[in-house]
Amino acid sequence: MTLTDYRTLGRSGLVVSPLALGTMTFGTARWGSGEDVSREVFNAYVDAGGNFVDTADVYSGGLSEEMVGRFIAERGLRDQMVVATKAGFATGRPLAGGSGAGHLTRSLDASLKRLGTDHVDLFWLHVWDSVTPAEELLETMAGFIRSGKIRYWGLSNAPAWYGAKLATLAAVRGQPGPIALQYFYSLANRDIEDEHAPMAREFGLGIVPWSALAYGLLAGKYDRATVEAAAPRAGGLPRDAAATGEARPEDDKRLDGANPFGDSLFTERNWRIVDVLRRMADEAGETPARIALAWVVGRPGVTSTLMGVSRVSQVTDNVSALGVALSPDQRAELDAISAPEARLIYGLLQPAMRRNVVFGADVTDFGGR
C-alpha cells in the first residue's frame, strides 16, 4: 500500500489517502515545528502522493490553518487536496466554543479566512458540548453544505449514541449526515471498539484515528527507566500536573516534553506493548512506529489514519508503515497484548458469547455479527 492507494471516506464520494497529515504540530513552539520545517513536512507528504490534510481552529491559535492554506496556495494544489478543519473547543473568549449554530458559523468563517479558501472538504465537530441538540447540529451542518462552505462533515470526541442519533435523524429527514469519526485509537487505547466502531459500521462512517502512536509512546519516545526514575510510581508527570493538564519546565526536561494524557499512558500494560513492538521491529528490520502504525491502518473500519509528525524523517517513517505487512501471528500477538480489560456489558455483545447465551453453543454465527 502507498499514499496513492486512495479510498472513499465512509459512505461518501470523498477520496482520501490511507494516511492523513495531521497539523497540530504546525506552529507549536513547544513540541511542534516552525514554518520552515512545517513546509518541508507538508511538501514531503504531498510529494509522496498524500492528499488529505487535517487542521483545526485551535491548533497554534489558528496559525496551523494559516500555514496549511499558505502551503497549499504556494503549490497551487487546492483542487487536488482534501482539506479538513475542526471547531468546538474554546477559542479564548467567553462562550466561544461548543457546537451551537452561532459558534460553529463564526468559527467556520474564521477558518476559511485563515485557510484562504471558500470551502473546506471536511468539517469536523471537534468535541461534543453535551448541550446542543442533535437536531440543531444537523441543521447547522446541512446549512453549511447548502451554502457551499463545506462539502462533508464528521464527528470527533463525541459519544456513540450522539453519533447514532445524528445519523438516524439525517436518514429520516433526508439531510446530509456525518460521514466519518475521528478518535484516539491505538494499541495503547482501544476504547472505540466497544461502541464507536460498531456504530461506524452500522451507519457507514469511516474511522480516522488520531495519535496512532500514542504521542510517541509506541514509537519509543519514552524510556521506561527514565520515566520511572522521574516518578517511582507508575507514570511520569506528577499527579497534580496530570490532573490539571499543566506541565512544568522541569517535567519537559525529565520526559522530553509532556503529552496531553499526562502520565496515564505510562501503565504496565502499555510498557508490555512497547516491549513487544521493539522485539517485533528488531525481528523484522522495521521500527516500532511502523509496526504500531501498520496495526492501526489494518484495523476494520479504518479508512485513513492521522500522522502526527514534526520532522520530515517522521513522514518518511510513517509512510513506510504502509508497506509493512503484519503476519497473522504478529497481529494475533499485538491483539492479545493490547486487549482491553473485559467489561461485562460488552462481553455479552461479543459473537462467541452471543452464540452461547442467545442461540446455543452449537449454533453457527450469523454473518459474523
Side-chain angles (χ1 to χ4, degrees):
M1 189 190 306
T2 69
L3 284 178
T4 57
D5 286 315
Y6 304 116
R7 64 278 310 276
T8 53
L9 184 57
R11 195 176 295 156
S12 78
L14 188 63
V15 179
V16 298
S17 294
L19 290 178
L21 180 62
T23 64
M24 191 168 73
T25 57
F26 284 17
T28 304
R30 183 177 175 188
W31 42 263
S33 52
E35 181 155 351
D36 289 344
V37 174
S38 296
R39 180 182 285 105
E40 292 175 358
V41 166
F42 172 83
N43 287 335
Y45 172 75
V46 171
D47 290 341
N51 79 331
F52 188 8
V53 181
D54 184 274
T55 184
D57 60 348
V58 293
Y59 292 171
S60 305
L63 184 56
S64 173
E65 289 181 323
E66 292 178 8
M67 287 186 183
V68 168
R70 190 154 54 245
F71 300 160
I72 290 174
E74 287 172 356
R75 297 189 54 167
L77 295 173
R78 183 61 191 93
D79 292 340
Q80 301 171 45
M81 300 298 297
V82 172
V83 178
T85 194
K86 314 179 192 72
F89 279 110
T91 54
R93 296 182 294 102
L95 301 180
S99 46
H103 173 67
L104 290 186
T105 299
R106 289 189 295 271
S107 179
L108 176 58
D109 287 344
S111 290
L112 292 176
K113 184 176 180 180
R114 286 190 291 266
L115 287 163
T117 185
D118 62 356
H119 75 280
V120 292
D121 302 284
L122 180 60
F123 190 49
W124 299 101
L125 176 66
H126 208 167
V127 64
W128 180 58
D129 67 4
S130 80
V131 295
T132 302
E135 294 84 352
E136 179 180 338
L137 178 61
L138 187 63
E139 181 57 38
T140 299
M141 293 299 189
F144 290 158
I145 291 176
R146 288 194 299 267
S147 70
K149 292 181 179 180
I150 72 173
R151 299 291 188 258
Y152 301 93
W153 66 282
L155 291 172
S156 182
N157 308 312
W161 68 261
Y162 192 69
K165 184 174 183 179
L166 285 163
T168 300
L169 284 171
V172 170
R173 294 181 170 193
Q175 291 179 303
I179 66 166
L181 305 176
Q182 185 179 135
Y183 287 80
F184 178 41
Y185 186 43
S186 70
L187 283 163
N189 189 297
R190 296 169 57 181
D191 288 351
I192 69 167
E193 293 178 4
D194 287 334
E195 294 273 1
H196 292 83
M199 186 265 287
R201 181 174 64 245
E202 179 68 22
F203 291 100
L205 311 179
I207 298 175
V208 182
W210 57 267
S211 198
L213 299 180
Y215 278 85
L217 175 70
L218 303 179
K221 177 180 179 180
Y222 300 101
D223 176 73
R224 180 173 187 167
T226 302
V227 169
E228 293 181 347
R233 55 174 174 68
L237 293 179
R239 289 291 183 192
D240 57 349
T244 63
E246 298 175 355
R248 304 171 300 187
E250 58 265 36
D251 298 324
D252 281 350
K253 183 177 181 181
R254 288 184 303 175
L255 298 180
D256 189 28
N259 64 73
F261 297 100
D263 64 352
S264 64
L265 290 175
F266 304 128
T267 65
E268 183 61 33
R269 167 186 174 274
N270 286 349
W271 288 127
R272 289 197 297 269
I273 294 171
V274 170
D275 290 341
V276 169
L277 287 171
R278 285 175 171 162
R279 174 177 56 76
M280 283 189 179
D282 289 341
E283 293 172 351
E286 298 289 350
T287 65
R290 290 179 205 155
I291 299 292
L293 194 53
W295 181 87
V296 173
V297 169
R299 295 301 289 173
V302 171
T303 302
S304 185
T305 301
L306 285 172
M307 302 189 304
V309 298
S310 58
R311 300 189 300 273
V312 171
S313 60
Q314 293 172 329
V315 176
T316 303
D317 194 56
N318 280 204
V319 172
S320 296
L322 295 176
V324 175
L326 298 177
S327 70
D329 287 344
Q330 287 175 316
R331 284 201 171 274
E333 184 175 4
L334 291 172
D335 289 350
I337 195 66
S338 66
E341 183 177 349
R343 289 187 284 176
L344 178 61
I345 182 62
Y346 296 110
L348 289 171
L349 304 180
Q350 296 305 307
M353 180 66 76
R354 191 166 62 248
R355 286 196 298 271
N356 284 322
V357 303
V358 178
F359 298 113
D362 295 330
V363 178
T364 57
D365 189 23
F366 300 127
R369 297 185 61 184

